[in-house]
Amino acid sequence: MIRFILGKLLYLVPTFLGITLIAFSFVRVLPGDPVLLMAGERGITPERHAELSAQLGFDRPIWQQYFDFLGRLLQGDLGNSLVTKKPVLTEFLALFPATVELGLVAIVIATLVGVPVGVIAAIRRGSWFDQISMTGALVGFSMPIFWWGLLLIILFSGILQWTPVSGRISLMYFFPQVTGFMLIDSLLSGQKGAFASAASHLILPAVVLATIPLAVIARQTRSAMLEVMGEDYVRTARAKGLPQSRVVGVHALRNAMIPVITTIGLQVGVLMAGAILTETIFSWPGIGKWMIDSISRRDYPVVQSGLLLIAGLVMLVNLLVDLTYGLINPRIRHK
Amino acid sequence: MSDTAVKLSDAAIRRRMLADFWFYFRQNRGAVAGMWVFLALVLVAIFAPLIAPHDPTQQYRDALLVPPVWQEGGRAGFLLGTDAVGRDMLSRLIYGAQFSLFIGIVVVSIALVGGIIVGLLAGFFGGWVDTVIMRVMDVILAFPSLLLALVLVAILGPGLTNAMIAIAIVYQPHFARLTRAAVMGEKAREYVTAARVAGAGNLRLMFKTILPNCLAPLIVQATLSFSSAVLDSAALGFLGMGAQPPASEWGTMLAEAREFILRAWWVVTLPGLAILTSVLAINLMGDGLRDALDPKLKRS
């Protein structure tokens, strides 16, 4: 097992170096002078230009710049935002919990709904439930989620007035950040109504973000279940006279879950892309919106390091998925 | 094949394969429905200038945010109403079909051709060529696709062409991986060895001998990428990074309509519905294609 883990880790090193190379090249391949670009439309004095160039290291040879970049990276220095002047890492860590909270709730919704739907659809193959749920899954899979979010806002915030349009919590409430997760912090604060406010702010964005993973998980669960249900050991279990619930719940589901767990893990990348859109629509103060804002503000150090952090994160989660997979399924380990 | 078997010409074999394919494809009602919707979309896109009642960029200053014809205040001249600057929604939606199809075709073509070449090289030659190429693909795949596309557009500058290039770059590794896997499976087969012994060069082996036998998964992936391309380009348009106003691209239309969501439902609902319908149709077709082309599922 340790060899398996080490092998996987070693495999990641070149990929990670590639990611740093892309993030590094990003600012350099921008057409025109990066310093002028960063200065924006107001222009810049020659002295300030030279100063910025030296500060950002643009006056040195390109390979040296890359190694400087890597060196700073290893020390946890990801540069400063041009707009707020704060370290990028500080900004990232401040906004990250909001995205994690949103993503976690979304993946929980997607799993809690998607897996049972897929299992039932597989058991009752061809029934109306199967047909309707799988049609629904395909619709969900095809959904432009930025539009879906707007529709939900029209319905639940506009017409029914059940949920707020944007933000994480009503401005009425103020309490210290403990975990950074609004749902938990609002409970810890003990203020009346704070949790309900946080939950009502979270529910629509989470549902929107959950849509595509939910569809993928439901489809994957169904096909994995169908495959497993045709196996000999399921027939044997049936022949032994075991009740349907045990055959499905123990013999089939356990084995069908292996690919499903992988699918759930692989949704992290999908969630990240979805978070960019969802956070923009709902003005959710997370890293998706932060990236979009930074791109439109031309805050390139933020875009560069944000890209690096997000890609590194997705890579890490994928590694964890791989390792879990090896853990549940020994056949993978010894390949 | 025994000696007594009837010799079939290439054309006849192809016709048989097509008939075979159609037989399986037809059994999937959803796929057939998706195909019809897609065909309708193609026709609408081709004949947009003939069908559209108005110019998609013409602004009727006396008809701002006119609701659809069946609603109170609707006008017969604007069947689906108008947007905030008085442009006919129906005409814009019709012309939007051109954008979506064009984007899908261009993105898939670039990604497919690039992916096939890269995947063939990696699968056929193996060794360090394979390692280097696949590692580069891994790096691209490590980024969430929309994020990478966004950053690429930020580098290249917002606009439709750059959005298409960015999306194609992001999709290309999927094709490369599929091609590589298929090539590695086929490379060791006897017919390839036979062709090599007969004196076929590397290029001929790669493109004429091996490639045609690797096409099935690529066709399926191309269909799925087509729908993703429509979705992602609409998302880029929605974020202001894709086609620029006044283009009647559906995502861009949605972005312009955002501030009116609580006042004029049609400017928000209709473009999204158009995106959903076309993406759904293509995905339905893709599912059908996969079932019909995947030999593992056949006759099971």
Side-chain angles (χ1 to χ4, degrees):
Chain A
M1 187 66 199
I2 290 174
R3 258 187 80 182
F4 174 70
I5 296 177
L6 280 180
K8 286 276 172 197
L9 273 175
L10 271 182
Y11 187 81
L12 282 188
V13 172
T15 313
F16 186 73
L17 280 179
I19 292 174
T20 59
L21 201 59
I22 287 194
F24 169 79
S25 329
F26 164 66
V27 176
R28 274 79 187 170
V29 296
L30 287 169
D33 180 353
V35 178
L36 277 183
L37 268 174
M38 287 179 186
E41 279 147 18
R42 274 169 300 161
I44 190 170
T45 62
E47 294 84 51
R48 179 80 186 123
H49 185 278
E51 191 189 330
L52 258 177
S53 273
Q55 187 191 330
L56 296 164
F58 286 133
D59 51 353
R60 272 176 293 177
I62 194 101
W63 58 268
Q64 205 177 342
Q65 289 182 36
Y66 177 63
F67 283 110
D68 284 353
F69 174 73
L70 273 187
R72 265 175 288 144
L73 198 67
L74 288 176
Q75 295 164 22
D77 175 11
L78 292 166
N80 291 329
S81 157
L82 293 174
V83 178
T84 61
K85 312 285 179 210
K86 278 190 245 168
V88 175
L89 194 61
T90 315
E91 288 202 341
F92 179 86
L93 291 177
L95 296 170
F96 189 51
T99 301
V100 173
E101 183 176 40
L102 181 62
L104 275 180
V105 174
I107 203 72
V108 167
I109 294 176
T111 310
L112 288 186
V113 181
V115 171
V117 165
V119 169
I120 298 174
I123 301 172
R124 305 203 185 137
R125 185 182 191 178
S127 68
W128 63 266
F129 180 89
D130 182 23
Q131 290 183 352
I132 290 178
S133 62
M134 283 308 118
T135 311
L138 199 65
V139 172
F141 183 64
S142 311
M143 188 64 85
I145 59 168
F146 43 99
W147 175 69
W148 176 227
L150 293 177
L151 281 194
L152 292 182
I153 291 179
I154 294 182
L155 180 61
F156 289 103
S157 308
I159 300 173
L160 297 172
Q161 309 235 319
W162 287 355
T163 57
V165 180
S166 64
R168 288 183 79 190
I169 193 160
S170 161
L171 292 173
M172 280 165 57
Y173 303 100
F174 187 77
F175 42 80
Q177 277 206 3
V178 185
T179 56
F181 292 162
M182 215 40 108
L183 285 180
I184 300 175
D185 286 356
S186 62
L187 272 181
L188 290 177
S189 77
Q191 292 179 41
K192 232 177 150 186
F195 179 76
S197 172
S200 68
H201 278 81
L202 180 62
I203 185 71
L204 280 195
V207 167
V208 168
L209 190 54
T211 305
I212 290 180
L214 168 58
V216 175
I217 291 171
R219 277 161 65 101
Q220 175 71 47
T221 308
R222 177 179 179 272
S223 68
M225 276 301 279
L226 281 180
E227 201 163 299
V228 171
M229 297 286 279
E231 296 282 345
D232 290 343
Y233 57 81
V234 170
R235 197 166 21 145
T236 311
R238 281 237 165 85
K240 280 197 297 187
L242 292 179
Q244 168 84 351
S245 60
R246 199 167 160 78
V247 174
V248 172
V250 178
H251 291 79
L253 193 58
R254 271 209 185 162
N255 288 293
M257 274 301 103
I258 294 174
V260 174
I261 289 172
T262 320
T263 310
I264 295 174
L266 291 178
Q267 294 307 304
V268 176
V270 178
L271 282 177
M272 234 7 269
I276 294 173
L277 293 165
T278 315
E279 291 180 1
T280 306
I281 300 166
F282 290 95
S283 301
W284 186 263
I287 48 176
K289 187 165 182 303
W290 177 60
M291 286 299 279
I292 286 285
D293 291 346
S294 306
I295 289 176
S296 54
R297 284 197 299 237
R298 300 179 164 229
D299 194 344
Y300 292 123
V302 172
V303 178
Q304 181 180 43
S305 305
L307 198 61
L308 195 67
L309 285 167
I310 293 172
L313 213 72
V314 171
M315 208 176 72
L316 265 184
V317 176
N318 286 348
L319 171 74
L320 286 180
V321 173
D322 262 9
L323 294 183
T324 331
Y325 201 40
L327 211 61
I328 352 178
N329 191 353
R331 274 171 295 181
I332 300 288
R333 237 182 291 161
H334 298 297
K335 217 162 59 177
Chain B
M1 204 185 279
S2 66
D3 292 337
T4 51
V6 186
K7 278 251 161 75
L8 289 171
S9 69
D10 278 0
I13 291 175
R14 233 168 265 148
R15 236 176 295 133
R16 278 216 175 169
M17 280 167 69
L18 208 64
D20 206 35
F21 162 77
W22 180 242
F23 176 80
Y24 286 103
F25 187 79
R26 208 180 44 188
Q27 288 180 339
N28 188 333
R29 271 176 301 163
V32 176
M35 190 192 67
W36 286 120
V37 174
F38 183 71
L39 279 180
L41 202 70
V42 173
L43 289 178
V44 165
I46 294 174
F47 296 109
L50 297 178
I51 312 171
H54 299 274
D55 184 296
T57 51
Q58 167 89 41
Q59 303 183 357
Y60 295 93
R61 283 299 176 177
D62 58 332
L64 307 181
L65 287 178
V66 170
V69 69
W70 61 86
Q71 227 178 322
E72 208 186 309
R75 290 204 224 158
F78 304 108
L79 284 179
L80 294 179
T82 61
D83 67 5
V85 289
R87 291 173 297 200
D88 180 45
M89 285 298 289
L90 179 62
S91 309
R92 287 179 72 68
L93 290 172
I94 289 175
Y95 274 92
Q98 287 186 336
F99 277 99
S100 287
L101 288 180
F102 178 66
I103 291 166
I105 292 168
V106 173
V107 166
V108 171
S109 311
I110 301 177
L112 187 68
V113 172
I116 284 180
I117 294 175
V118 168
L120 268 176
L121 288 174
F124 188 78
F125 291 109
W128 65 269
V129 179
D130 182 34
T131 313
V132 171
I133 289 179
M134 290 335 275
R135 221 24 64 78
V136 174
M137 298 299 125
D138 280 350
V139 172
I140 299 178
L141 286 174
F143 295 95
S145 62
L146 186 66
L147 182 66
L148 188 57
L150 265 171
V151 171
L152 285 171
V153 172
I155 296 175
L156 301 165
L160 186 63
T161 317
N162 292 340
M164 290 192 297
I165 296 174
I167 299 173
I169 293 178
V170 175
Y171 287 179
Q172 187 259 356
H174 296 282
F175 291 101
R177 279 193 164 183
L178 274 177
T179 314
R180 170 179 175 266
V183 169
M184 286 173 58
E186 295 293 320
K187 199 170 59 170
R189 298 274 193 90
E190 276 103 8
Y191 72 89
V192 180
T193 318
R196 194 192 295 274
V197 171
N202 279 341
L203 277 180
R204 188 183 169 86
L205 280 175
M206 277 158 68
F207 287 94
K208 287 218 89 162
T209 315
I210 298 182
L211 184 60
N213 294 302
C214 304
L215 284 180
L218 289 172
I219 293 173
V220 176
Q221 180 66 30
T223 325
L224 295 176
S225 296
F226 198 106
S227 62
S228 310
V230 173
L231 263 186
D232 278 352
S233 64
L236 285 181
F238 180 74
L239 294 169
M241 292 292 193
Q244 297 297 308
S248 58
E249 196 271 321
W250 294 332
T252 312
M253 285 171 73
L254 264 176
E256 292 176 49
R258 256 185 86 180
E259 47 185 307
F260 305 104
I261 53 172
L262 297 179
R263 277 190 13 225
W265 61 268
W266 58 95
V267 291
V268 180
T269 317
L270 299 176
L273 207 56
I275 302 173
L276 176 62
T277 315
S278 34
V279 173
L280 185 61
I282 302 167
N283 279 341
L284 277 168
M285 227 164 58
D287 269 9
L289 276 176
R290 191 188 47 216
D291 293 351
L293 290 174
D294 190 342
K296 268 185 290 182
L297 292 173
K298 259 187 206 174
R299 297 174 193 93
S300 62

